[in-house]
Amino acid sequence: MSATGAAEPEPVGPVAERPYMPGYGIQGPDEGSGLLPWSWAVERLRAARNFWVCTVRPDGRPHAMPVWGAWSGEALLFSSAVPSRKMVNLRANPQVVVTTEEAENPVVIEGRAEIVTEAKDLQRFIDLVNSKYATRYRVDFLDPEVNATVAVRPQSVFGLRQGDFTGSPTRWSFTT
């Protein structure tokens, strides 16, 4: 309930649709297993141990690197040394693609990288990483002068189930 006593609106999730994939025999959204629910993608984002971060160098060449990461509920979080190639790239062009490591049931995030520095956000990331990877990092590991913490907020996300290649591809679009 809101302060006025009115019911709070339910949060709106991403819009699901079939992606345009010419030449692959992709079925309609009501065929095959149909559009995948957003919860399917979230489950894989939470479970993935490693993620591939794909950026673009200032000269236009691509760059890909694996990272540990954690899904916060609204963004994929990871950290990297401030002078690293991926951070140099992201400061020049924050558009990024991040994928789960599992090619059979992939989740691919297209989004915008944002460096986060607020203490509560850094602590949240450390808590997620320590829980997920059984580590004992302290929040000072994320000193913004040394290790940047990045939030990738999805603009669109793609996923498909290997067992239904033509009937499961789903693209979720986020309003910003």
Side-chain angles (χ1 to χ4, degrees):
M1 292 280 187
S2 70
T4 64
E8 293 282 339
E10 285 294 315
V12 178
V15 175
E17 63 187 358
R18 277 286 189 252
Y20 179 64
M21 296 173 62
Y24 286 94
I26 302 304
Q27 299 174 24
D30 297 325
E31 299 176 287
S33 54
L35 296 173
L36 297 169
W38 175 238
S39 59
W40 180 92
V42 168
E43 183 179 307
R44 278 146 192 81
L45 290 168
R46 286 188 176 140
R49 180 163 179 83
N50 301 297
F51 296 87
W52 286 95
V53 174
C54 305
T55 62
V56 178
R57 298 170 196 259
D59 67 6
R61 292 180 299 139
H63 180 262
M65 270 294 154
V67 297
W68 278 3
W71 178 251
S72 73
E74 61 186 35
L76 192 282
L77 303 170
F78 69 91
S79 67
S80 183
V82 168
S84 71
R85 169 50 49 200
K86 71 180 104 22
M87 292 311 303
V88 169
N89 294 347
L90 290 173
R91 282 191 297 277
N93 179 354
Q95 295 299 319
V96 63
V97 172
V98 181
T99 71
T100 55
E101 64 190 337
E102 184 186 3
E104 289 79 20
N105 295 292
V107 177
V108 180
I109 299 171
E110 294 178 1
R112 187 170 184 84
E114 170 188 324
I115 297 172
V116 296
T117 57
E118 289 197 29
K120 68 176 178 53
D121 296 327
L122 300 179
Q123 188 62 58
R124 170 84 171 128
F125 177 53
I126 282 293
D127 291 345
L128 287 168
V129 166
N130 285 340
S131 174
K132 181 175 184 175
Y133 297 99
T135 53
R136 293 178 187 221
Y137 293 126
R138 294 181 351 192
V139 75
D140 60 354
F141 174 76
L142 298 176
D143 175 351
E145 298 295 318
V146 179
N147 286 309
T149 300
V150 178
V152 177
R153 300 188 194 289
Q155 294 168 332
S156 70
V157 175
F158 170 84
L160 66 82
R161 284 185 31 242
Q162 179 192 359
D164 190 8
F165 181 84
T166 61
S168 69
T170 303
R171 179 173 312 281
W172 296 273
S173 298
F174 294 77
T175 56
T176 53

